Amino acid sequence: MKYLRYGPPGEERPGLLDGDGFIRDLGGVFADLAGDCLDPSRLSDLTTGDIALLPRVEGDVRLGSCVVGTRHFIGIGLNYADHAAETGMPIPSEPIVFNKAPSCIGGPNDPIPVPPGAFKVDWEVELALVIGRRAWQVSEAQALDYLAGYCICNDVSERAWQLEGTGQWLKGKSAPGFGPLGPWLVTPDEIPDPLSLGLTLEVNGETMQSGSTATMIFGPAYLVSYLSRFMALEPGDVITTGTPPGVGMARGRFLKPGDQVRAAVAGLGEQANAVV
C-alpha cells in the first residue's frame, strides 16, 4: 500500500494511492499518518477493505511529507561503499550516526530554499525508513517488523556548515526544506528486498547519482537494530540510510536558485524540487 498526505502546508490530510493512481481520502479512518496510526497492524487492516469506497480526491493537490510527528530524524553517513570511495574515506566499521532537525522535513515536491549565507548546498538521494511501533533493544531478525514502511528522502546538506569550522553535521543538515520525504510511505510488503533498489538523482535533467541499495554497508534491518541499542525509536521516527556516489561535494558543484532537482527510488516514486 502507498500512503500519503495531501493538502496545503499545515493542513494535510491522510490518504492513499489506489491501483489506478487516484488519491483516496483517509480522513475518516486515521487522524493522520502519525503515532499509533503507523503501527504495521493498523496499516495492514486497510488492505482487507474496499478501497473504492473511500472518497476520491479530485484535481491536482500538493503532497506533504508522507509522515508527521517525527521526533527523531536520524541520518547514516558514508553507508554506501562506492560513496565512501568517492569521498576518499575508509569504509566505516560501524554506522556513522547524525541527526537532522525534524523541522527540516518538507513535501516531496516543495521548493528547497537556499538559506542566507549558504553557498555549498548539496543533494543526496536516499532510502528512508519510517518507524511504525516503539523499537527498543530489537534484534536484527525482528527489526523490519517495526517499520511502517519506506520512502524517499533527499538529505539536502550545506557542506560548509557541515564540515568546515567546527564541522557539526547537525548544522549542515537541518535548514527548512532540507528533508523532503515522500511522495508515498510504501508498506514493506511492496518492497520485499530493500537491498535491491535503484536510486537516481538529476539536476536540471543531468544525472548526478545512479546507484543501488545493494552497495549499502549496513542494511535497513541492521540499522534499526543497531540504533535501538542506544535509543528508543518511536512511531513516526525517520532513519535515512545514506546515499550512493555522485554528490555535489565530490563533483565540486552545488545547488543554486533556479536549479531543478529530481530524485527517484525504484518502487517509491519520485520527488521534483525547485531550488529557490
Side-chain angles (χ1 to χ4, degrees), residues 32-54:
D32 211 336
L33 291 177
D36 292 343
C37 295
L38 291 168
D39 188 282
S41 62
R42 288 203 65 185
L43 295 180
S44 64
D45 285 346
L46 281 177
T47 62
T48 62
D50 188 351
I51 293 173
L53 298 178
L54 295 169

Side-chain angles (χ1 to χ4, degrees), residues 63-274:
L63 295 181
S65 64
C66 59
V67 64
V68 70
T70 300
R71 284 175 282 185
H72 295 114
F73 193 174
I74 302 165
I76 306 298
L78 297 177
N79 195 32
Y80 282 65
D82 40 6
H83 174 51
E86 78 170 344
T87 66
M89 301 288 286
I91 291 177
S93 59
E94 62 179 299
I96 297 173
V97 180
F98 62 89
N99 286 99
K100 292 172 73 76
S103 57
C104 79
I105 293 173
N109 302 315
D110 288 350
I112 297 173
V114 176
F119 62 98
K120 290 185 178 180
V121 178
D122 204 347
W123 56 81
E124 293 187 23
V125 61
E126 305 196 1
L127 169 68
L129 321 176
V130 178
I131 299 298
R133 59 167 66 112
R134 190 174 191 268
W136 168 242
Q137 301 287 313
V138 303
S139 70
E140 186 174 355
Q142 296 176 319
L144 297 186
D145 295 338
Y146 289 79
L147 292 186
Y150 304 95
C151 67
I152 302 172
C153 174
N154 187 350
D155 177 20
V156 182
S157 310
E158 211 296 341
R159 299 301 190 187
W161 297 354
Q162 176 192 357
L163 300 171
E164 299 175 15
T166 54
Q168 298 178 45
W169 287 33
L170 177 66
K171 294 190 304 186
K173 300 280 189 173
S174 296
F178 274 24
L181 295 179
W184 315 307
L185 172 65
V186 182
T187 50
D189 60 290
E190 294 202 13
I191 308 295
D193 183 5
L195 288 175
S196 64
L197 305 178
L199 307 90
T200 58
L201 185 139
E202 300 174 357
V203 178
N204 300 329
E206 180 182 355
T207 298
M208 298 296 175
Q209 292 185 273
S210 180
S212 169
T213 57
T215 67
M216 269 191 189
I217 300 164
F218 305 105
Y222 183 86
L223 291 173
V224 172
S225 176
Y226 177 84
L227 292 169
S228 79
R229 299 179 203 169
F230 311 107
M231 67 185 76
L233 301 170
E234 301 287 351
D237 287 352
V238 175
I239 304 166
T240 190
T241 60
T243 198
V247 298
M249 180 173 61
R251 295 173 177 271
R253 175 175 173 177
F254 299 101
L255 295 172
K256 61 186 184 302
D259 285 342
Q260 302 290 324
V261 182
R262 175 186 170 274
V265 177
L268 303 182
E270 65 179 59
Q271 301 179 350
N273 309 94

